[in-house]
Structures are given as C-alpha cells and as structure tokens.
Amino acid sequence: MRIIKSILFVLLLLQVSGLNAQDTFNQGDIVYVKEIEENLRLTPNGTVITQLPQASKVMVLGVEGNWVAVQVAGWIWKPSLVSSKLDIKGLYMKALHIMVETESEANEIKSLLDKGSDFSALAKERSKGPNAQKGGDLGVVNKGDLLPELDNALRSLKTGEISKVVKSPIGYHIFKRTE
C-alpha cells in the first residue's frame, strides 16, 4: 500500500448558497463557506456525505450552474483509509436486474424466479431495462447510483438472493445480488 500523504484532498461538490449574479468563481480560487453549515455532496443534488462548517476553506475546481466542484484539505486518521474504493465493504456490489412496465408482469416473473427459472434468461426475454441483452447484468453498482428505493432493495440482499418486486417511477424491478 502506498504511503498516504498527511493531507487528504477530497474531490467533491459543494453547493454555494446565495450566489449573486456578479459572483464568479474560477478554477484555483480559494473560497470560504458563508452558511453556518453547508452540505457536501457526491454530485449536484446528490447524496450528502457531510456538512462543512462556516468559514471552511475550499479551492474551486470548476463551476456548473449554482454548483461548485471543490477540493477540501484536512486531516484524517490514517488507519481509516484504504488505497482503493473496491476495498470498502458494502460500497460496491454486483447485481442482475429485470425491469418491466406492469406490476402483474413483475409478479409473474418473480414467481418464475421463485420456482427456479434462470434470472439472466428471463432478463433477456422480458426485461425492458438497458442491460437486458446482457442478461440484466448491472456490473458494479456504487452506493447511491440507483434511485433510493432501488438502492435500498439491492443493499438489503445477501449474495445470491433475489429481491421482491420493487416499484419506482420508471417501472417495476427485480434484482439478484451476485456479489
């Protein structure tokens, strides 16, 4: 494992509250959080990972509308770090996925799966998802990649388990966790 520098730079996104039209930030600018606390997110409007207190010093990496990509400097306990995100238990999973338009079709597929039908074959035949032709293979799924109701359903599964039917705004889903 390579030596970890004493200062950890984290590339994340920070919502800048109350920007005026004349406020412009350029790459490399040093700016400070003016709110009492400001959410630090993985993506614009995405998962909040922490709050930065007022007067936190950050460096601007880029600007996208009312969002500013920032670099945060700070200290962190060395034993709490890993050199690869793949080493973080529960952050990444692999899964298969079937998506259909109706609850009745999803329930029919779930019944077939419960009787031992092959998940990948059913995904190829019946799924409307973009990964259907790959047997429903989602590949590596990061925490927060999916809609919250789908993410929660997938994360509740143990390797090899098949989910119940999960409703979302875009359809009905069934997952099989493979890793």
Side-chain angles (χ1 to χ4, degrees):
M1 188 166 142
R2 65 178 204 247
I3 298 173
I4 299 170
K5 306 260 184 212
S6 60
I7 297 179
L8 174 68
F9 290 99
V10 182
L11 301 177
L12 299 166
L13 294 166
L14 172 66
Q15 180 179 18
V16 178
S17 300
L19 289 180
N20 297 320
Q22 70 272 17
D23 288 337
T24 58
F25 299 113
N26 298 304
Q27 187 174 8
D29 286 353
I30 300 298
V31 294
Y32 301 87
V33 175
K34 72 178 182 179
E35 302 298 324
I36 298 297
E37 283 188 332
E38 184 55 69
N39 291 330
L40 189 62
R41 300 171 182 270
L42 291 175
T43 60
N45 289 317
T47 303
V48 174
I49 56 171
T50 193
Q51 282 87 32
L52 294 179
Q54 189 173 47
S56 293
K57 180 180 176 180
V58 295
M59 183 173 63
V60 175
L61 298 175
V63 178
E64 195 175 304
N66 279 340
W67 295 91
V68 178
V70 299
Q71 188 173 53
V72 180
W75 293 84
I76 193 165
W77 186 244
K78 188 176 180 179
S80 67
L81 302 174
V82 293
S83 58
S84 169
K85 285 196 261 183
L86 296 175
D87 293 335
I88 301 172
K89 186 176 178 159
L91 185 61
Y92 294 92
M93 295 179 295
K94 289 188 177 183
L96 302 176
H97 171 244
I98 295 173
M99 180 180 80
V100 293
E101 294 175 359
T102 67
E103 185 174 16
S104 62
E105 185 177 11
N107 287 331
E108 179 187 338
I109 293 169
K110 175 66 170 131
S111 177
L112 292 170
L113 292 168
D114 289 344
K115 292 176 184 171
S117 291
D118 181 75
F119 198 102
S120 292
L122 281 174
K124 285 181 183 177
E125 293 169 20
R126 310 273 299 266
S127 181
K128 306 295 185 229
N131 52 354
Q133 292 311 307
K134 295 190 287 181
D137 188 359
L138 291 174
V140 174
V141 180
N142 303 307
K143 186 174 184 178
D145 279 353
L146 305 174
L147 294 169
E149 57 269 37
L150 303 180
D151 194 63
N152 292 338
L154 183 54
R155 292 196 175 284
S156 71
L157 299 174
K158 294 178 182 165
T159 300
E161 284 186 329
I162 296 174
S163 73
K164 62 181 182 174
V165 173
V166 182
K167 181 181 178 182
S168 83
I170 59 173
Y172 293 85
H173 310 264
I174 303 169
F175 294 97
K176 180 176 182 180
R177 185 167 174 177
T178 57
E179 274 185 43

